[in-house]
Amino acid sequence: MVELRHLTYFRTVAELGSIAKAATALHMTQPTLSRQIAQLERALGHQLLRRSPRGTSLTPAGQGLRAQLGTIFQQIDRIPEVLRAAAVSQRLVHCGLPPGLPHEWFRRFGNVLGERSPRVKLSLHEGNSEEQRAWLREGLIDVGLVHFELPELDSVLVLTRSFGCAVPAGSTLAGRSSFTLGDLDGLQVMAHSAQENPAEEVRLRAAAEAAGAHIDWQFRKFSEHSSLIAESSGADAVLIGQTSAERHFPSWRWVPMDSADEVNSVIRTWVVWRDPDVPGVRECIDAMLATSRSRA
């Protein structure tokens, strides 16, 4: 039988790469820890570690187990939340949220869901679109909100917003009511990295080339330090949605992209799901669509 403590011990060894270091971190002796790992290997029927004078490395079986441990421990961490919801007959739905999602829209959705399905309770998990794709595949979330379509999953468009750029107050673009990619010619422009939105970098480069704009691109992962990264790198503009601009660049001015550029001037958000029969999932999808219709 596999015990949770054995998995915890294995994870520590895998992360530190040493029985000695793991034993110190776990406040155990090395022989005791080695016996615990040996018990886990016997229970699973596979050797997990290779020991050598240079340290400890993972076997292929060990690498496979380590890859699954994140999902296993996340599911275990959720048990108290699941039990609290079940105790009051609520259906807990794990929902992914992408950076930059307007809080106002999501609060309206929560109100609609509460009115329609008061027994559905949301558990929110922030992650970019690629992270949510992995979470859906691993069963860590039930529905996701993503900024590009995932062809392997069912999806429905629920939100469309203007895309634009944040610029410092002294920028020549600060007084504009809108801009085109051609207006960014010769500027240093920061945008989302391919890790956050795989299609965006390719699309922006192609659109800028078509517009004859020679842009010094800086593709970065957006985070709480986005403004610091932009300022330290000397960015002249940051391509970003209005909600994210207000959050990360409060002293800069946000300017929308010209709506004539239909491909690049909007941010689209889809709700995606793997199994519509999970209790509460259909109710969430219907409430999101109702929220979008009411806004329109």
Side-chain angles (χ1 to χ4, degrees), residues 224-238:
E224 62 176 310
H225 302 303
S226 297
S227 61
L228 184 62
I229 294 170
E231 291 168 8
S232 64
S233 65
D236 299 302
V238 178

Side-chain angles (χ1 to χ4, degrees), residues 111-170:
N111 292 335
V112 172
L113 180 64
E115 293 171 0
R116 290 173 165 229
S117 308
R119 291 198 175 279
V120 174
K121 177 178 173 58
L122 295 173
S123 176
L124 306 182
H125 308 271
E126 183 175 353
N128 63 40
S129 300
E130 279 296 341
E131 289 172 327
Q132 291 188 56
R133 169 184 259 164
W135 295 343
L136 283 161
R137 184 173 59 247
E138 296 165 0
L140 291 174
I141 60 174
D142 305 305
V143 295
L145 288 161
V146 299
H147 292 323
F148 57 88
E149 287 189 273
L150 304 180
E152 74 274 20
L153 297 168
D154 292 322
S155 63
V156 176
L157 182 66
V158 292
L159 185 61
T160 301
R161 296 168 288 135
S162 296
F163 192 50
C165 71
V167 294

